[in-house]
């Protein structure tokens, strides 16, 4: 059994505890029959406990055999800098487009392994290569907008070491197809010069760089939902740098694609990878995690329905 909270656990717990405490005090200090107040308090605590169980999102591990395993490792390299939250994406922000494209590729490549590297000024491995697509999707969802209070610019050089580490690991496996998919708007805002991505080419069988954002650029909001403005109080507009992304694509021996439109680029890439990959000989055991929070959701629904029934039953018609 593992837990993957739906919302950040500490803020949720603090807010829920405050609401429960205030409500419990109001119930205990209220007028009326003491037995009814105790029942109301018990109802509140039961509902709170079930809600907390849902928030924890418990998942049950299961061993699955007879799983076809493709010989493919797909590494998603995702720019998580502030400009990736510019509002010129097809589905909202640029990051929304990235997540949609990654989801489409994951769906097209069932049985492949996926990894995630995210970067802004620094790089971090969000998920090692795994066939647990839920873990990969969760890793992509965990890429959040950096705080403008602490951001010190973004560098496209930051993920190079982690990309090489992941690619080298993939190539150590026998007969492995290594795919590098780089998602960014190409903006460098920390004053650094782009280094060569040529070393990645030696480990890359299929590579592509996806340019996020529109040619006209887009407005950005900070972590508080307020539009970012420059010194003249004009909207801060982020415009993708295709030239820089083109250099990375050339270095890794891949193509430059665009995330604009209806997702054709991601679909084409998924088809290309699927055509090049093959199922390895034999089958292997795979551990997957299945959600169980729906059990607590059903119990909570029954509890609320019962509460509503007894409440309306006592109301005069």
């Amino acid at each position: 059994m593992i837990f993957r909270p739906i919302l950040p656990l500490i803020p949720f717990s603090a807010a829920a505890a405050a609401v429960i405490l205030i409500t419990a005090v109001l119930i205990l200090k209220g007028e009326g029959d003491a037995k009814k107040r105790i029942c109301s308090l018990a109802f509140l605590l039961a509902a709170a406990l079930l809600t907390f169980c849902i928030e924890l999102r418990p998942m049950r591990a299961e061993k699955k055999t007879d799983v076809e395993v493709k010989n493919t490792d797909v590494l998603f390299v995702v720019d998580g800098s502030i400009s990736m939250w510019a509002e010129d994406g097809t589905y909202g922000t640029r990051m929304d487009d990235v997540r949609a494209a990654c989801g489409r590729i994951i769906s097209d490549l069932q049985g492949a392994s996926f990894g995630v590297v995210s970067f802004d000024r620094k790089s971090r491995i969000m998920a090692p290569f795994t066939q647990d697509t839920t873990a990969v999707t969760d890793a992509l969802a965990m890429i959040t907008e950096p705080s403008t209070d602490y951001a010190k610019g973004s560098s496209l050089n930051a993920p190079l070491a982690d990309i090489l580490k992941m690619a080298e690991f993939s190539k150590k496996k026998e007969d492995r197809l290594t795919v590098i998919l780089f998602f960014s708007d190409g903006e460098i805002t920390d004053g650094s010069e782009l280094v060569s991505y040529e070393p990645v080419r030696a480990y890359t069988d299929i590579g592509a760089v996806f340019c996020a954002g529109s040619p006209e650029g887009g407005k950005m909001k900070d972590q508080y939902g307020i539009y970012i403005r420059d010194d003249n109080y004009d909207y801060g507009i982020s415009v993708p740098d295709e030239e820089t992304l083109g250099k990375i694509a050339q270095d890794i021996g891949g193509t430059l694609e665009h995330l604009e439109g209806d997702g054709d680029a991601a679909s084409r890439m998924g088809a290309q990878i699927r055509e090049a990959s093959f199922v390895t000989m034999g089958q292997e055991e795979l551990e997957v995690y299945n959600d169980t929070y729906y059990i607590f959701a059903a119990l909570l629904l029954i509890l609320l329905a019962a509460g509503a029934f007894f409440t309306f039953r006592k109301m005069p018609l």
Side-chain angles (χ1 to χ4, degrees), residues 33 63 100 162 170 197 211 216 219 232 238 249 251 261 268-269 274-275 277 309:
D33 184 52
K63 298 286 187 179
D162 283 338
S170 175
Y197 270 71
C211 178
E216 299 78 19
K219 295 183 289 186
N232 297 321
S238 171
D251 284 348
R268 287 196 305 271
M269 182 54 58
R274 190 169 59 249
E275 184 177 346
S277 65
F309 172 77

Side-chain angles (χ1 to χ4, degrees), residues 64-300:
K64 283 194 174 182
T65 55
D66 300 329
V67 176
E68 290 186 341
V69 182
K70 287 187 172 62
N71 70 320
T72 306
D73 287 337
V74 180
L75 179 62
F76 297 128
V77 184
V78 180
D79 185 349
S81 59
I82 292 174
S83 60
M84 289 296 289
W85 271 262
E87 298 177 331
D88 57 345
T90 301
Y91 300 104
T93 67
R94 296 172 182 175
M95 186 59 67
D96 291 328
D97 284 7
V98 171
R99 292 187 179 118
C102 292
R104 191 171 287 111
I105 291 170
I106 290 172
S107 178
D108 287 344
L109 298 173
Q110 295 297 321
S113 295
F114 300 91
V116 180
V117 169
S118 174
F119 71 94
D120 38 57
R121 189 172 61 91
K122 295 182 179 180
S123 176
R124 56 201 67 85
I125 297 175
M126 304 292 291
F129 288 120
T130 176
Q131 288 181 298
D132 184 352
T133 56
T134 300
V136 177
T137 303
D138 287 348
L140 291 167
M142 287 174 63
I143 302 174
T144 55
E145 182 178 3
S147 170
T148 53
D149 298 329
Y150 303 102
K152 297 182 179 179
S154 59
S155 169
L156 294 187
N157 302 330
L160 182 56
D162 283 338
I163 294 172
L164 287 171
K165 184 187 303 182
M166 296 283 283
E168 287 173 5
F169 175 79
S170 175
K171 277 304 179 186
K172 287 180 181 178
K173 306 173 191 176
E174 186 177 356
D175 296 326
R176 206 69 180 171
L177 185 75
T178 304
V179 181
I180 309 295
L181 303 181
F182 193 101
F183 297 85
S184 175
D185 54 25
E187 286 197 290
I188 299 175
T189 58
D190 68 345
S192 61
E193 293 289 332
L194 181 67
V195 299
S196 174
Y197 270 71
E198 186 74 30
V200 179
R201 181 193 287 255
Y203 304 98
T204 306
D205 296 303
I206 297 176
V209 176
F210 289 84
C211 178
S214 64
E216 299 78 19
K219 295 183 289 186
M220 300 173 288
K221 289 180 180 177
D222 62 18
Q223 70 275 18
Y224 307 110
I226 301 172
Y227 282 108
I228 298 174
R229 297 178 181 269
D230 59 23
D231 294 337
N232 297 321
Y233 209 66
D234 293 325
Y235 286 115
I237 302 296
S238 171
V239 179
D241 186 343
E242 288 192 35
E243 182 179 352
T244 297
L245 294 177
K247 291 178 182 177
I248 296 176
Q250 184 177 5
D251 284 348
I252 68 175
T255 58
L256 178 62
E257 309 286 347
H258 292 81
L259 287 180
E260 286 185 279
D262 56 4
D264 283 348
S267 297
R268 287 196 305 271
M269 182 54 58
Q272 180 183 346
I273 299 169
R274 190 169 59 249
E275 184 177 346
S277 65
F278 58 88
V279 178
T280 56
M281 297 300 295
Q283 298 170 319
E284 68 180 34
E285 189 176 77
L286 174 66
E287 185 173 71
V288 297
Y289 293 94
N290 295 321
D291 282 311
T292 59
Y293 71 89
Y294 64 86
I295 298 173
F296 302 101
L299 292 174
L300 179 60

Side-chain angles (χ1 to χ4, degrees), residues 14-28 41 44-45 48:
V19 172
I20 293 169
L21 181 60
I22 292 171
T23 307
V25 170
L26 292 174
I27 291 173
L28 292 174
L41 182 60
L44 169 67
L45 294 177

